[in-house]
Amino acid sequence: MGQRPPLLINRLDADRLQRLIDAATEKDQMVAELLQDELSRGEVVDPEEIPDNVVSMNSQIQFTDLTRNQQMVRTLVYPHSLANTQDAISIMAPIGASLLGLKVGDTIDWPLPNQQITRLRVDAILWQPEREKQYHR
């Protein structure tokens, strides 16, 4: 895998994600370990300090899977919100975990459970809680 871009993570998101990681089931262990690595290498800041071009939890993101040349729009959610969000992708899904903390224009190589690597690029953030001053969402 190539070098990963720097990450900026909302402090509230980091705290909530750490609880998810700590409670991960065996099925979610691979993603939990990857998320733990991302939290460890990311810069954690207060929600008010997140720029509007950074993917945070509950952001609606337009991104491209460069491996399959497929563009998608998804909202990055916690697992308990999957059923309540129309275009949701869970942070505990490999693709969801890869997007957290990236900026518009960033590209990341990310492992998938089938031993393959996918390359993703963040194209736009269509909605972001911090941009809307919803710091505790």
Side-chain angles (χ1 to χ4, degrees), residues 1-109:
M1 283 192 312
Q3 185 174 354
R4 292 187 176 167
L7 301 178
L8 200 56
I9 302 170
N10 170 333
R11 186 173 313 286
L12 295 174
D13 291 348
D15 291 345
R16 292 172 183 152
L17 290 170
Q18 189 61 60
R19 287 193 295 273
L20 265 182
I21 291 164
D22 292 344
T25 63
E26 188 174 322
K27 172 181 86 76
D28 292 330
Q29 201 57 47
M30 179 191 135
V31 173
E33 289 173 11
L34 289 166
L35 264 178
Q36 184 68 65
D37 291 346
E38 295 297 89
L39 287 180
S40 296
R41 75 179 189 85
E43 180 183 353
V44 178
V45 299
D46 289 331
E48 298 83 2
E49 296 177 38
I50 294 287
D52 63 5
N53 67 338
V54 172
V55 176
S56 62
M57 291 303 300
N58 299 301
S59 292
Q60 186 182 50
I61 312 136
Q62 180 177 314
F63 64 97
T64 301
D65 179 336
L66 298 168
T67 308
R68 292 186 282 166
N69 197 28
Q70 181 180 11
Q71 191 173 68
M72 294 168 262
V73 173
R74 297 286 183 270
T75 299
L76 186 62
V77 300
Y78 296 100
H80 69 270
S81 298
L82 274 171
N84 303 330
T85 308
Q86 185 177 1
D87 61 355
I89 186 166
S90 173
I91 187 66
M92 294 304 286
I95 300 293
S98 73
L99 297 169
L100 182 70
L102 297 179
K103 294 188 312 262
V104 173
D106 281 350
T107 300
I108 192 166
D109 294 332

